[in-house]
Amino acid sequence: MKKLLLSTFLGLGLTLSGTAFAEDKVTYGTNWLAQAEHGGFYQAVADGTYKKHGLDVTIVQGGPNAANSALLIAGKIDFYMGGAMEELSAVEQGIPVTNVAALFQKDPQILMAHPDKGINTFEDLAKLDTILMSKDGYLTYFAWMKANFPGFKDEQYKPYNFNPAPFIADANSAQQGYLTSEPYEVERQAGWQPKVFLLADAGYAPYSTTIAARNELVEKNPDLVQRFVDASIEGWYNYLYGDNKAANELIKKDNPEMTDGQIAFSIAKMKEYGILESGEALTKGIGCMTDERQKAFFDAMVKINVFKADTDYKKAFTTQFVCKGVGLALKK
């Protein structure tokens, strides 16, 4: 009888120690096809970081036909790769979602120009005849450019069809892009490196590649949110500074068109420009957000009539899960 009781006690002890607990199943929807810009999340899957935090995470890949933001709202996925603009828009629409971490301190949005046209500063872009950009870009950062720099005008705008050929052919043009993507493709196709201007370094400074969650989850299960945020942050440090081969293989499995060359370029640019590590993140860890930074961006968008002045911008984010120095020790 004593042996039976001892055996039962030991079994219970093992269960309480965590070795027999079932991991919480979590889904994270990305905003596009798998790429190095999602690397930290794939890293945390590949190297067991999520499991270490008691999570069984499935990454739901985004893409042109995906609707991951809608799946978040509907409660079909737990977290979504959002951004400052998206969640501010959600507040205005009464959609109960909020950002719980911002992995990218700098939005990788860029404008690029030809290297031999005397375009040496961001302000010089106003000299060009054409700026190829999406309609969303025209309504947001181009409106911000017109409000903050002399010389930019509506006549420069031409729709960007996500093909660099018109930009390559027109030396008097600029084109929007992503720091980690379009410059690589232009050099591959044209054989020359474009001049690159990061909008964040010119003052257009939304947080990006966020972790967005439904308010209900944040309020009812903050422990799960904290564990997912912490594990994702650790995943990013391990991806940037550790062995990321397994994560890159997962990326290429989800997105077979992704190449090793593109991945290496993207990682190098994220490090060079401080996309994840700049500002408060340097001392308080990747993922950090502050009210001051959020308010400054919100005020800038109100000035150009993107958002209403009476919008409660604080509903778009919470800082309770970040800026705690998580993962800093992993940086090598």
Side-chain angles (χ1 to χ4, degrees):
M1 185 66 174
K2 288 183 179 179
K3 290 183 178 180
L4 178 61
L5 288 173
L6 179 61
S7 175
T8 302
F9 177 78
L10 289 174
L12 178 62
L14 286 172
T15 301
L16 292 176
S17 72
T19 57
F21 278 139
E23 295 158 350
D24 291 312
K25 291 187 178 296
V26 170
T27 48
Y28 180 60
T30 65
N31 59 5
W32 196 246
L33 299 173
Q35 52 194 277
E37 294 88 329
H38 307 164
F41 304 103
Y42 280 92
Q43 179 76 25
V45 171
D47 69 10
T49 296
Y50 283 133
K51 289 186 178 296
K52 183 184 74 174
H53 286 266
L55 302 172
D56 178 5
V57 174
T58 299
I59 296 175
V60 181
Q61 184 178 212
N65 299 314
N68 284 344
S69 60
L71 293 177
L72 174 71
I73 295 167
K76 302 297 185 183
I77 60 175
D78 300 300
F79 299 99
Y80 171 66
M81 186 181 288
M85 294 288 289
E86 284 180 274
E87 271 47 76
L88 282 167
S89 295
V91 170
E92 289 201 336
Q93 297 173 58
I95 299 171
V97 297
T98 191
N99 283 322
V100 297
L103 285 307
F104 283 11
Q105 295 294 300
K106 296 182 181 181
D107 188 332
Q109 188 68 56
I110 62 164
L111 290 171
M112 54 186 178
H114 284 242
D116 54 355
K117 296 302 294 182
I119 307 301
N120 299 312
T121 66
F122 187 83
E123 292 86 343
D124 288 341
L125 292 165
K127 302 174 185 177
L128 296 171
D129 296 334
T130 298
I131 301 179
L132 296 152
M133 69 185 82
S134 66
K135 186 176 181 180
D136 285 345
Y138 173 75
L139 294 173
T140 55
Y141 58 78
F142 192 58
W144 172 84
M145 289 161 59
K146 289 184 292 180
N148 289 277
F149 298 93
F152 290 107
K153 51 189 181 296
D154 287 336
E155 290 76 13
Q156 291 175 288
Y157 166 67
K158 287 186 180 178
Y160 172 48
N161 62 4
F162 298 92
N163 179 349
F167 164 68
I168 292 172
D170 183 359
N172 287 308
S173 71
Q175 181 200 294
Q176 77 166 50
Y178 220 50
L179 171 70
T180 48
S181 180
E182 276 78 4
Y184 178 83
E185 185 62 20
V186 167
E187 184 173 2
R188 190 185 71 81
Q189 291 191 27
W192 42 263
Q193 294 181 353
K195 284 283 188 73
V196 170
F197 302 93
L198 187 69
L199 270 74
D201 286 345
Y204 182 79
Y207 289 114
S208 120
T209 305
T210 64
I211 298 174
R214 296 184 310 282
N215 293 351
E216 180 183 16
L217 181 64
V218 173
E219 293 163 4
K220 293 185 177 181
N221 200 345
D223 173 70
L224 184 143
V225 175
Q226 187 70 70
R227 284 185 285 131
F228 182 75
V229 168
D230 288 352
S232 299
I233 291 169
E234 291 175 15
W236 268 108
Y237 280 111
N238 288 330
Y239 186 72
L240 293 174
Y241 300 107
D243 183 353
N244 57 24
K245 291 179 182 177
N248 290 334
E249 289 305 313
L250 289 181
I251 288 171
K252 290 186 289 184
K253 181 179 178 181
D254 273 0
N255 180 10
E257 294 186 3
M258 183 54 58
T259 66
D260 291 331
Q262 175 67 77
I263 288 173
F265 178 87
S266 298
I267 294 171
K269 292 303 177 183
M270 286 191 288
K271 289 182 176 180
E272 177 185 351
Y273 282 80
I275 297 302
L276 289 104
E277 296 179 280
S278 54
E280 290 81 11
L282 290 172
T283 56
K284 297 180 181 179
I286 287 173
C288 189
M289 298 184 292
T290 66
D291 180 86
E292 293 79 9
R293 170 88 176 269
Q294 296 278 12
K295 186 178 189 305
F297 178 70
F298 172 70
D299 288 345
M301 294 300 97
V302 169
K303 183 179 177 181
I304 59 174
N305 300 313
V306 173
F307 298 114
K308 300 173 184 176
D310 61 355
T311 297
D312 187 355
Y313 75 93
K314 291 188 176 183
K315 290 184 177 180
F317 69 99
T318 175
T319 61
Q320 74 182 91
F321 302 104
V322 292
C323 306
K324 301 178 181 182
V326 170
L328 284 171
L330 297 172
K331 184 173 179 179
K332 301 177 179 67

